[in-house]
Amino acid sequence: QVELIMQMEADRFALTLADNGRGFSPAVATTSERNGWRNIRLRVDEIGGKLDLQSSSAGTTVKITVPMEIKAQMQRADKSFIV
């Protein structure tokens, strides 16, 4: 079972994705040579957001929170993004 929640939190947007799968080790996933979680974290960091990853044998929850004023932050950082 998968649950997707999108919320407005004051001046931030939050996306939470949770499942009741078997989980995995976040420590291994975020330090492995694979790029998945590292790339997600880099993208979220680039726009001033926060990535929270929790996983256990009861399932996994990923929450990404980003500021609503992403374009202004991207311009200040002199980054080119397609939004």
Side-chain angles (χ1 to χ4, degrees):
Q1 183 175 1
V2 176
E3 180 178 45
L4 175 65
I5 301 169
M6 294 182 278
Q7 298 174 290
M8 297 296 296
E9 298 177 346
D11 62 343
R12 303 181 81 68
F13 173 78
L15 179 127
T16 304
L17 181 63
D19 70 26
N20 63 346
R22 61 185 177 138
F24 60 93
S25 170
V28 171
T30 57
T31 59
S32 75
E33 293 183 20
R34 296 180 178 174
N35 292 323
W37 289 111
R38 182 170 51 110
N39 286 343
I40 292 170
R41 184 171 302 282
L42 286 172
R43 299 291 187 268
V44 171
D45 286 346
E46 285 177 342
I47 57 174
K50 179 184 173 189
L51 172 66
D52 181 38
L53 170 62
Q54 298 178 2
S55 189
S56 71
S57 60
T60 300
T61 301
V62 178
K63 182 174 183 179
I64 298 172
T65 308
V66 296
M68 292 301 298
E69 294 193 26
I70 293 173
K71 289 183 181 180
Q73 287 188 359
M74 290 185 319
Q75 291 171 350
R76 285 194 301 269
D78 292 325
K79 302 278 184 179
S80 297
F81 292 96
I82 299 173
V83 180

